[in-house]
Amino acid sequence: MRLFPRLAAAVATLSLSALVAAAPTPRPSAGERLDHALLWGRSLDQLTAAMTVKLGFQVAPGRPQGALANRYVRLDDERFIELLGLTGADAPLDPGAQADQAALHGAAGARTLVLHSDALDAARAALLARGLAATPVFSAAPDDPDGTGPGTPPRWSLFAVDPSPLSSRLFYIRYAPVRPDIAADRRSAREHPNGARELSALWLLSADAEADRAQLARLGYDRATPVRLAQIGARGYCVAVGASALLALQPDGAGAAADALAQGGAQIAGISIGVADLERARHLVGRGYERTLERYRGLAGASFLAPSRDDLGLWIEFHARDRATGPCGAAAAGAASADAGR
C-alpha cells in the first residue's frame, strides 16, 4: 500500500498566534504509535536483494501502481518498512513521491514516516488546533483488490501533515480489519531469517535536533531523553512514541552522521530493529557483507550496526529485543552512562 496522497494542495495553515494560547498541547491517543517508514531504492529489485541477501529479511510482495511498485518488510509488532521503486512506466508521480525523488535524486533512502492512530479524525483535529496544516482524510478505493469490497470500511484511511513540522515528511494512518487470507499471509511474512521481531525506532537526522524535538512535543510526544550515538557521531534526543521511539539527531562533530547530512540533507538516517537472537543476526548479516560486525552497547542495549548505507541510503541497527524497558528506558540509562564517562 503506497501512502502518498494525490492531492493538489495542503489545507491552509491556521493562525498559530490565535490558537496556541487557547489550545492545550494535544495528547496522543492510546492507539497512536510508529507505523512504518517509506524506503526508496535505486530500483526495487536492488533494494529487495540488499534486504534479503545481505540483511536477512523476508520481503513480501506488493503491487505495481502506475509509475511505482512496492514490497514490504513486516514485523511481529505490526510495524513495517515499505520498499518503493520506480517502474519506468510513463505515469505521473503524486506530490509525495515527487518530493521524495527530488530529495533523493534517484538514490536510495527514506524521507517519510507514518504514525498510526485509532482516532484519525480526532488526531487531525488536534493538530489543526495547534496551528499545523493537514490534508483532508482520504481512503483506499472501494474496489481496492486487497479490501473487502464496496459497502465495507476502506482498508486504510490517512492524512498528511503538510507542510511537515519535522525534518522528514509525516503521515497519520488508520486501518480496517483485513481479510483472513491477507492476515494469514502477513503472519507468514513476519518470519525472518535474521530473527527480526520489531521496528523499535527511526532516526531523524537534521542540522537541528532541538527543532525536531520541539516539534515532536508540539505533536504531543514530549517524553524526550538526551542521547548520543557514538557509532555514527550523532547526538540529540530519544522521543517515546507509544512502545517505539523517534530519535531526533544531529551530527556531533565530524563523522558518519555529518557526512550523511552533507550528502543527503535531512533524512531518516537509520532504523532500529529488535531481534530474537542477536548473535544469529550478527553472524548472518556479517556473512552477507563479508565482514566482522562489532557489538556495542547502544540505546536499546546490546547492538550492532549493519553497513547498509550504500545499499539502502540508511543504517540498520540490530539490537537484542528487551520488553522490560520502554522505548527510551535503555536510552536514558545509556545517556547517563555516557555523560558519566565524559
Side-chain angles (χ1 to χ4, degrees):
M1 166 194 46
R2 184 170 52 82
L3 300 182
F4 292 118
R6 296 182 179 276
L7 297 173
V11 174
T13 304
L14 298 180
S15 170
L16 179 61
S17 60
L19 292 169
V20 166
T25 300
R27 302 306 307 167
S29 71
E32 286 191 20
R33 57 174 173 80
L34 183 61
D35 193 77
H36 70 281
L38 277 65
L39 176 58
W40 291 84
R42 291 183 291 275
S43 75
L44 191 55
D45 286 342
Q46 170 268 324
L47 191 58
T48 300
M51 295 297 282
T52 55
V53 177
K54 292 185 176 181
L55 291 160
F57 291 102
Q58 179 185 177
V59 173
R63 292 181 182 276
Q65 302 173 67
L68 297 176
N70 68 348
R71 293 170 185 157
Y72 301 97
V73 174
R74 297 191 177 277
L75 286 306
D76 275 353
D77 58 4
E78 301 294 334
R79 302 179 191 104
F80 61 95
I81 306 168
E82 184 169 6
L83 311 182
L84 291 166
L86 298 175
T87 65
D90 185 16
L93 294 174
D94 54 50
Q98 290 177 9
D100 271 7
Q101 283 299 300
L104 290 165
H105 305 289
R111 299 293 185 275
T112 300
L113 65 137
V114 184
L115 302 180
H116 175 273
S117 176
D118 287 334
L120 201 64
D121 292 331
R124 181 175 178 274
L127 299 179
L128 292 175
R130 295 299 297 172
L132 295 162
T135 67
V137 175
F138 70 103
S139 302
D143 60 352
D144 176 3
D146 295 321
T148 53
T152 62
R155 185 166 57 93
W156 52 262
S157 298
L158 62 84
F159 69 86
V161 186
D162 190 8
S164 174
L166 303 175
S167 57
S168 292
R169 276 177 289 282
L170 175 64
F171 289 80
Y172 283 74
I173 193 168
R174 176 187 63 223
Y175 301 102
V178 299
R179 297 192 327 241
D181 61 320
I182 294 176
D185 285 346
R186 290 184 180 178
R187 285 193 297 271
S188 63
R190 294 170 190 155
E191 295 298 324
H192 300 280
N194 62 18
R197 292 290 182 267
E198 64 183 5
L199 194 167
S200 56
L202 298 178
W203 307 1
L204 307 185
L205 177 66
S206 72
D208 189 348
E210 173 60 28
D212 268 347
R213 184 212 60 78
Q215 292 296 342
L216 284 166
R218 187 181 176 198
L219 292 169
Y221 305 107
D222 54 6
R223 292 188 294 143
T225 301
V227 295
R228 287 186 175 88
L229 274 66
Q231 62 270 29
I232 63 166
R235 62 181 172 84
Y237 303 91
C238 179
V239 180
V241 180
S244 52
L246 291 172
L247 305 186
L249 302 172
Q250 69 184 53
D252 190 16
D259 293 343
L261 187 63
Q263 292 166 5
Q267 60 194 270
I268 299 174
I271 299 177
S272 296
I273 300 289
V275 297
D277 185 331
L278 188 65
E279 281 308 300
R280 174 187 173 188
R282 189 166 72 106
H283 173 74
L284 190 152
V285 177
R287 186 176 62 189
Y289 280 94
E290 298 183 341
R291 67 183 73 178
T292 299
L293 303 176
E294 299 300 326
R295 287 176 51 144
Y296 57 84
R297 176 125 185 116
L299 303 184
S303 309
F304 72 89
L305 193 67
S308 56
R309 186 159 185 86
D310 288 345
D311 295 314
L312 309 182
L314 50 72
W315 292 284
I316 300 285
E317 179 188 63
F318 293 88
H319 63 85
R321 194 180 191 194
D322 183 1
R323 290 186 171 275
T325 63
C328 295
S337 176
D339 286 341
R342 287 175 68 88

